[in-house]
Amino acid sequence: MCGIVAYLGKKEAFPIIINGLKRLEYRGYDSTGIAILNNELKVFKKAGKVSDLEAYASPLDTIGNIGIGHTRWATHGKPNDTNAHPHKSGNSRLALVHNGIIENYKYLKSALKELGHHFDSETDTEVLVHLIEELQKRDDLSLEDAVREALTRVVGAYAIVVIDKDNPTKIVAARKDSPLVIGIGNEEYYLASDATPLIEYTKKMIYLNEEEIAVVELGKPIEVKSIDNIIQSPTIQEVDMNIEELEKGGYDYFMMKEIHQQPATVADCMRGRINAEEGWVHLGGVNQYEGKFTNASRIIMAACGTSWHSALIGEYLFEELARIPVEVEYASELRYRNPVLTENDVVIAISQSGETADTLSALRLAKERGALTYGIVNVVGSSIARLTDAGSYIHAGPEIGVASTKAFTGQVTLLTLMALKLAKLRNTISEDYYRQLLFELKVIPKKISQVLSQNEAHIKYIANEIKDKTNALYLGRGYNFPVALEGALKLKEISYIHAEGYPAAEMKHGPIALIDENMPVFVIATNKSAYEKIISNIQEVKARKGYVIAIVIEGEKTISEIADHVIEIPDTVEPLVPLLSVIPLQLLSYYIAILRGCNVDQPRNLAKSVTVE
Ligand code: AGP
């Protein structure tokens, strides 16, 4: 939530920051702002998107070689020009951008008001810049010391970048529970919430660690200290990403590009990790903790949103194949109750961004209680990746569309590999079934391509039939139940149609009351094990005049005669079906949203990386 970009060097800062903010817009897009230092401190802010700020500020005097920028996802205060960041200190000497929440801002605000401070915005952030100003003035502190002192008084999460009119060649940055990366160029520095705005300028980066403060000054090496003022030795990493990965590549929206990348991203997730002919699965992180995994009394999977749906599929996979009990938890719920967690547990955190605040806090709790923590993450170097004891990247590449697509199939692929690896280690799977699953996994990327190429025209037609509906139901059994939840989430988040996912058999316990001729019901009906039962569920919907769109295995006859529409996917073994059955649901939600005139990459009220609890 919220994106930060800053520049310090010899180039013009404004275009670099605008460009960077556009790359970070997926993190928040309700208001934006930039502060440029050039003898005076100039601040430009606008409600709306980065392009609105660009149009507003470009004709103005934006000249200067040091600046900070921000794209906001509102927490405290409406998205308007005043609440947009950067915020200035009362004496207009400092400007600050912030990603996170200052939880004790009310207390700090009233204390500062008593000292004569006046606030323009409703934000928690403005309080922090006034606090830094106060300490700087009161104790005659350097900028970095004032920032450090202020942060010791703050409760909450922050990534901040501060500039000071009286220190025109210096930037001070700090982080706790929100990410911050420093890019090192040739006599210039870039800072951002993640690496994406930086890679066109440099691949050399420092990922700030928890509660670290960096002083970035022209002509001097970067100095990093802990909040307790102890000098740290930051590691400079080479980031392996290229600019094409951040472009739409000819598609109208990133979401569509990402849907179509799935044959490649699923293959990338398996690359070097599986050999069907020789019958092995290799996952470095699992090898490292083999004993812990095989002897774990249970595995807990913690995640949010789409990643939580992947975890549910993980539960089915681990229990069926590896016979390990699994509990799937909403990370936010796991964190704020008092769960029974011991050193015999393994906690797997699943997250595309690796920055989700709820998942991070659940992970910290698991670590405190001595559990082994494992991350299934997409973003390399992210906080979850660094906090866990071990883990596996899904290697899906940057996912920029707010609606998660390729990360979901990457997570499910990785969980399948893990389940197979553990099943083999625990000897809970027959050699024949193990080999069959490995061979089927190998051809899944081709089958995803087939789903994508064969169904698009039909899906567009169905989307047109559904686009004006106000509600929808998604039903599935077994491995397809989490897919039903994921289909419903995709539809509601990008098209704003209310949708619910249910286990198909649960429909008769309540939701059936909703069914009439206006209710589209998507049934993921590829199951072999409960085939007759799912047919009965479809009959029950049809008997109440529901409009049924069924996802079926190609060549299926019975459902094709009852349903209003069927979308065929290639046959595969049941545990791998989600990797195929989710694809038509992603495409359906995409086309429905487009027909309703929605911005699918930046749906209202959402952000890609949810760094607040
Ligand atoms: C999915 O389409 C979402 N926009 C959202 O639910 C997301 O999956 C969730 O916020 C978790 O994010 P993470 O995977 O980055 O942790």
Side-chain angles (χ1 to χ4, degrees):
M1 315 235 109
C2 300
I4 289 176
V5 184
Y7 175 76
L8 171 64
K10 300 212 166 72
K11 297 183 193 140
E12 281 307 314
F14 184 81
I16 292 172
I17 296 172
I18 283 281
N19 199 17
L21 290 178
K22 284 184 181 164
R23 296 231 183 273
L24 287 186
E25 233 175 353
Y26 71 89
R27 300 177 70 89
Y29 34 83
D30 59 37
S31 49
T32 55
I34 292 180
I36 300 285
L37 196 53
N38 186 5
N39 296 323
E40 51 171 332
L41 191 56
K42 294 169 280 189
V43 177
F44 313 93
K45 308 205 280 190
K46 262 275 156 270
K49 302 218 183 276
V50 179
S51 53
D52 297 315
L53 175 72
E54 188 178 20
Y56 157 74
S58 294
L60 307 174
D61 172 17
T62 58
I63 294 194
N65 311 119
I66 167 168
I68 59 177
H70 188 269
T71 178
R72 180 170 185 244
W73 184 88
T75 58
H76 294 63
K78 290 179 283 300
N80 57 27
D81 295 359
T82 314
N83 289 333
H85 301 207
H87 289 285
K88 288 207 288 185
S89 55
N91 58 8
S92 290
R93 183 176 151 183
L94 311 176
L96 175 147
V97 287
H98 169 221
N99 170 24
I101 291 183
I102 308 300
E103 288 171 12
N104 59 339
Y105 83 102
K106 277 197 178 143
Y107 163 78
L108 294 170
K109 193 170 186 173
S110 57
L112 286 163
K113 272 184 177 169
E114 276 178 25
L115 293 170
H117 287 257
H118 165 81
F119 295 91
D120 295 322
S121 77
E122 303 156 273
T123 64
D124 51 333
T125 303
E126 194 184 6
V127 174
L128 181 55
V129 70
H130 278 252
L131 179 61
I132 298 169
E133 170 195 3
E134 181 60 35
L135 295 165
Q136 200 179 30
K137 268 190 327 207
R138 194 190 70 184
D139 300 335
D140 194 23
L141 296 178
S142 66
L143 177 63
E144 52 274 34
D145 286 341
V147 168
R148 184 176 312 107
E149 274 299 312
L151 292 177
T152 59
R153 290 162 165 81
V154 151
V155 177
Y158 53 79
I160 56 163
V161 180
V162 196
I163 50 175
D164 179 353
K165 207 162 62 157
D166 294 357
N167 286 286
T169 54
K170 185 193 278 188
I171 283 181
V172 174
R175 75 155 276 187
K176 175 174 177 277
D177 294 341
S178 293
L180 204 59
V181 188
I182 305 171
I184 304 165
N186 188 12
E187 292 180 50
E188 57 182 4
Y189 297 105
Y190 304 81
L191 292 93
S193 297
D194 68 34
T196 54
L198 313 186
I199 53 150
E200 56 204 274
Y201 309 108
T202 178
K203 302 226 173 208
K204 278 195 209 150
M205 298 190 198
I206 294 174
Y207 287 83
L208 270 195
N209 288 317
E210 279 301 275
E211 302 198 72
E212 282 184 348
I213 299 176
V215 181
V216 181
E217 200 166 353
L218 276 188
K220 293 193 181 165
I222 294 173
E223 181 190 273
V224 178
K225 286 187 176 174
S226 68
I227 197 155
D228 326 314
N229 213 9
I230 297 166
I231 295 212
Q232 309 292 304
S233 332
T235 318
I236 300 176
Q237 298 186 16
E238 283 279 326
V239 172
D240 177 25
M241 200 191 283
N242 56 53
I243 199 74
E244 292 76 46
E245 293 180 77
L246 305 175
E247 309 287 352
K248 287 189 195 141
Y251 290 94
D252 291 340
Y253 285 94
F254 281 108
M255 181 182 176
M256 198 45 149
K257 174 186 170 192
E258 288 156 8
I259 289 173
H260 280 270
Q261 279 181 308
Q262 289 175 108
T265 52
V266 167
D268 288 345
C269 181
M270 292 192 279
R271 199 175 310 285
R273 290 172 163 166
I274 170 177
N275 188 317
E277 288 75 17
E278 292 174 16
W280 54 255
V281 174
H282 177 83
L283 287 169
V286 177
N287 290 353
Q288 206 183 333
Y289 288 96
E290 215 174 279
K292 274 267 185 193
F293 269 105
T294 45
N295 300 319
S297 52
R298 60 179 179 160
I299 289 179
I300 294 156
M301 297 189 186
C304 307
T306 287
S307 301
W308 187 82
H309 299 152
S310 304
L312 272 187
I313 296 173
E315 177 182 22
Y316 286 61
L317 288 163
F318 278 46
E319 294 202 342
E320 183 194 335
L321 306 176
R323 310 301 300 153
I324 307 180
V326 173
E327 285 169 32
V328 176
E329 298 271 2
Y330 283 114
S332 53
E333 290 300 313
L334 181 67
R335 171 64 188 87
Y336 288 106
R337 54 174 221 267
N338 188 6
V340 179
L341 279 172
T342 71
E343 55 277 14
N344 295 327
D345 293 320
V346 174
V347 174
I348 301 182
I350 305 176
S351 173
Q352 186 287 128
S353 62
E355 299 295 347
T356 301
D358 290 321
T359 312
L360 265 166
S361 353
L363 207 50
R364 288 198 185 100
L365 180 75
K367 279 183 95 87
E368 266 166 45
R369 304 270 167 104
L372 173 75
T373 56
Y374 198 89
I376 296 182
V377 170
N378 189 30
V379 177
V380 176
S382 56
S383 301
I384 292 177
R386 288 182 301 141
L387 189 67
T388 38
D389 296 306
S392 306
Y393 287 116
I394 61 170
H395 297 307
E399 188 182 67
I400 293 167
V402 164
S404 188
T405 51
K406 63 176 180 172
F408 175 79
T409 45
Q411 290 162 347
V412 174
T413 305
L414 203 285
L415 287 161
T416 310
L417 294 176
M418 265 183 108
L420 283 165
K421 171 95 195 156
L422 295 176
K424 197 71 183 143
L425 286 171
R426 287 166 58 89
N427 209 11
T428 52
I429 191 167
S430 73
E431 187 61 24
D432 283 356
Y433 192 34
Y434 176 73
R435 290 283 176 144
Q436 188 193 6
L437 282 162
L438 290 187
F439 277 106
E440 270 302 317
L441 252 183
K442 225 179 104 176
V443 293
I444 280 288
K446 256 197 204 130
K447 292 187 177 179
I448 297 176
S449 295
Q450 206 180 317
V451 181
L452 286 167
S453 60
Q454 287 175 359
N455 292 300
E456 212 143 346
H458 188 200
I459 286 173
K460 275 189 194 163
Y461 177 85
I462 301 170
N464 198 46
E465 302 273 289
I466 307 289
K467 69 175 196 305
D468 297 320
K469 302 289 182 197
T470 48
N471 294 289
L473 213 52
Y474 286 72
L475 305 176
R477 279 175 174 267
Y479 284 100
N480 280 327
F481 160 54
V483 177
L485 295 178
E486 176 59 8
L489 177 63
K490 287 289 88 87
L491 187 70
K492 54 192 157 194
E493 74 178 325
I494 61 169
S495 74
Y496 320 138
I497 295 175
H498 171 239
E500 297 295 340
Y502 270 95
E506 273 293 302
M507 180 187 62
K508 57 187 176 296
H509 298 289
I512 198 162
L514 296 168
I515 291 174
D516 62 15
E517 61 278 18
N518 293 316
M519 177 65 92
V521 183
F522 296 90
V523 188
I524 305 111
T526 59
N527 309 57
K528 290 170 192 155
S529 44
Y531 182 61
E532 298 302 333
K533 292 201 170 28
I534 202 111
I535 292 176
S536 306
N537 298 140
I538 294 173
Q539 295 283 20
E540 288 151 17
V541 175
K542 284 311 298 171
R544 285 151 188 92
K545 300 191 183 143
Y547 185 78
V548 173
I549 303 104
I551 316 287
V552 298
I553 295 289
E554 60 193 355
E556 199 285 340
K557 293 274 177 299
T558 317
I559 296 173
S560 312
E561 280 168 19
I562 334 166
D564 296 275
H565 291 282
V566 291
I567 299 168
E568 294 192 336
I569 61 169
D571 196 6
T572 188
V573 279
E574 211 138 319
L576 305 188
V577 155
L579 292 168
L580 303 179
S581 58
V582 76
I583 309 289
L585 303 182
Q586 295 171 342
L587 287 170
L588 271 163
S589 54
Y590 175 87
Y591 283 117
I592 292 169
I594 293 289
L595 289 167
R596 288 166 69 90
C598 301
N599 179 341
V600 296
D601 281 345
Q602 295 177 346
R604 69 184 180 206
N605 306 339
L606 283 169
K608 182 76 183 158
S609 184
V610 185
T611 55
V612 293
E613 287 182 62

